[in-house]
Amino acid sequence: MKLALYLPNFREKVTVKELEDLTALAEDLDFDSVWTLDRIVVPEASDRQEMQYAFGMIEGFPKGLPVSSRGQWFQGMPLLPWLAAKTSKVRIGMSVIDTPYRAPGVLAAELGTIDHLSGGRLNVALGAGWMPEEFAASSASHIFPKRNKHVRETLEVIQGIWNNEVFEYHGEFADFERCGFGAKPLQQPHPPIFFSGLKDPKRAANRIAKYGLAGWIGIQDSPEDIQRWRGEIQRELDELDTARSIDDLEISSMIWFVITDQDMDQTPLGKGTNLLAGSAAQITDMLKRYREAGMTMPMLWPPFADVPVTKTLDDLKRLKEEIMPKVEAM
């Protein structure tokens, strides 16, 4: 089981030094990867719990984000070249890149350069986005009803640009004649591409099979959720008559992580369940269950508030030194 760190760049207040300390520790502890979060805006309506949809369109969550509109968070995309320069071993990525906020050709060209800056350590995770208010602030309101089509076109443009000397594309969101876009990614045939799909296994499997993607990323998924997604994606892969197996894919989920002194209530509450928030014994047991369920890479997500970075640094050390040896001994 690989370990990934989800940097808390989306937080009420965080410093570059705190992100640097977390990244350095992840590298020292031989984590597989470090990821940033894509959040362009927090609307004022969120402060009043009056957003159009709940966080992530997740049932049971409030119609407000866990960071205020006046919070001092950092944008995830500019952190990627910074991570490339600050690290030498861990892979880097943003989970997930909401494609409607970026022109497909520009995104492909910029990610190709970042792959070079990192020495070929870039992971690419793509999703459709979910917040109409953020689409508006990104001048992309017209894309919201067709955001899943935008992801598909972005995949086609990215792979076309990366796999051809010159490339042309004629779609709804990208329409250009034959062009060169500069340096191709260092990784061949291209950096691993992940798809984030939270609701529709059929769409996820179709994307993975059709475009040869490397894996799937969810959010706050229980071991039972992981088993269900693996089964449903495999069924869809079988129906699409592809030789690919779910065992070929990286299966990951972004999960809130903190080690507590006392046991936490683990009562199932959907996406709000304390999955990796609990005592060392609870986290050990849960990671064993995840491993048995087929998760290959938990993405550890420090809480949005009330847990200082110094605490997360200690928790990551305990996880690697005390908990993971017990998980891997099963």
Side-chain angles (χ1 to χ4, degrees):
M1 179 180 278
K2 301 175 182 177
L3 293 177
L5 172 63
Y6 203 17
L7 281 180
N9 60 288
F10 182 55
R11 185 174 267 197
E12 194 70 23
K13 183 171 177 58
V14 66
T15 68
V16 172
K17 179 63 165 58
E18 288 173 326
L19 298 179
E20 185 174 21
D21 289 346
L22 287 164
T23 300
L25 181 62
E27 180 136 292
D28 289 344
L29 295 177
D30 292 323
F31 271 47
D32 173 79
S33 50
V34 174
W35 302 72
T36 65
L37 184 149
D38 193 10
R39 178 90 295 121
I40 306 298
V41 302
V42 174
E44 259 195 345
S46 170
D47 301 341
R48 303 186 300 270
Q49 305 291 302
E50 294 176 356
M51 292 172 57
Q52 187 169 338
Y53 295 110
F55 174 71
M57 290 186 173
I58 296 171
E59 185 178 349
F61 274 28
K63 291 187 175 181
L65 294 165
V67 174
S68 77
S69 60
R70 288 161 177 76
Q72 299 299 302
W73 71 92
F74 289 114
Q75 297 291 328
M77 186 66 80
L79 286 172
L80 290 182
W82 178 81
L83 282 172
K86 288 289 181 181
T87 60
S88 61
K89 296 185 298 181
V90 296
R91 300 189 63 79
I92 62 174
M94 184 162 74
S95 180
V96 295
I97 298 170
D98 292 328
T99 70
Y101 309 151
R102 289 138 183 127
V106 174
L107 180 63
E110 291 180 343
L111 291 177
T113 293
I114 294 171
D115 195 48
H116 277 268
L117 294 176
S118 68
R121 292 182 287 118
L122 180 67
N123 288 339
V124 176
L126 304 179
W130 60 270
M131 192 200 308
E133 296 91 342
E134 192 163 54
F135 276 70
S138 303
S139 303
S141 290
H142 60 292
I143 300 176
F144 186 80
K146 300 180 179 179
R147 59 194 183 279
N148 291 305
K149 183 179 181 182
H150 191 279
V151 177
R152 187 178 74 245
E153 286 198 10
T154 298
L155 275 166
E156 293 171 354
V157 169
I158 284 177
Q159 292 186 336
I161 288 172
W162 288 349
N163 294 332
N164 295 278
E165 259 187 51
V166 293
F167 181 68
E168 67 178 294
Y169 189 86
H170 302 285
E172 182 174 352
F173 304 107
D175 188 359
F176 54 88
E177 300 298 332
R178 286 164 64 82
C179 295
F181 287 80
K184 308 302 178 191
L186 203 57
Q187 297 178 82
Q188 294 298 318
H190 53 68
I193 301 175
F194 295 72
F195 180 71
S196 179
L198 306 182
K199 296 180 181 296
D200 190 342
K202 189 175 185 69
R203 179 184 293 129
N206 185 273
R207 297 279 193 269
I208 289 164
K210 183 175 181 179
Y211 300 108
L213 305 188
W216 171 86
I217 299 174
I219 180 172
Q220 279 287 112
D221 294 286
S222 69
E224 293 75 20
D225 293 331
I226 294 297
Q227 286 181 315
R228 187 181 71 254
W229 272 91
R230 282 177 57 92
E232 291 180 350
I233 290 175
Q234 183 61 64
R235 280 193 293 274
E236 293 299 332
L237 291 172
D238 292 340
E239 285 187 16
L240 291 166
D241 195 26
T242 171
R244 299 200 72 194
S245 164
I246 190 68
D247 294 328
D248 301 328
L249 305 178
E250 200 82 80
I251 303 297
S252 183
S253 188
M254 302 169 278
I255 306 174
W256 295 308
F257 166 72
V258 62
I259 302 176
T260 58
D261 293 332
Q262 304 295 325
D263 282 355
M264 295 287 285
D265 183 0
Q266 300 284 329
T267 302
L269 294 171
K271 298 294 186 182
T273 306
N274 286 320
L275 295 164
L276 288 177
S279 67
Q282 286 178 312
I283 289 175
T284 301
D285 289 343
M286 185 63 74
L287 284 171
K288 288 179 179 179
R289 290 177 57 200
Y290 275 130
R291 187 176 177 186
E292 291 172 352
M295 179 186 282
T296 64
M297 186 174 69
M299 198 177 292
L300 305 169
W301 190 353
F304 293 104
D306 302 325
V307 177
V309 166
T310 53
K311 162 68 172 160
T312 298
L313 291 167
D314 289 339
D315 287 352
L316 293 173
K317 292 175 188 174
R318 289 188 64 190
L319 175 74
K320 182 69 176 184
E321 296 167 3
E322 300 175 21
I323 294 175
M324 290 308 297
K326 297 175 183 176
V327 174
E328 292 164 355
M330 61 181 290

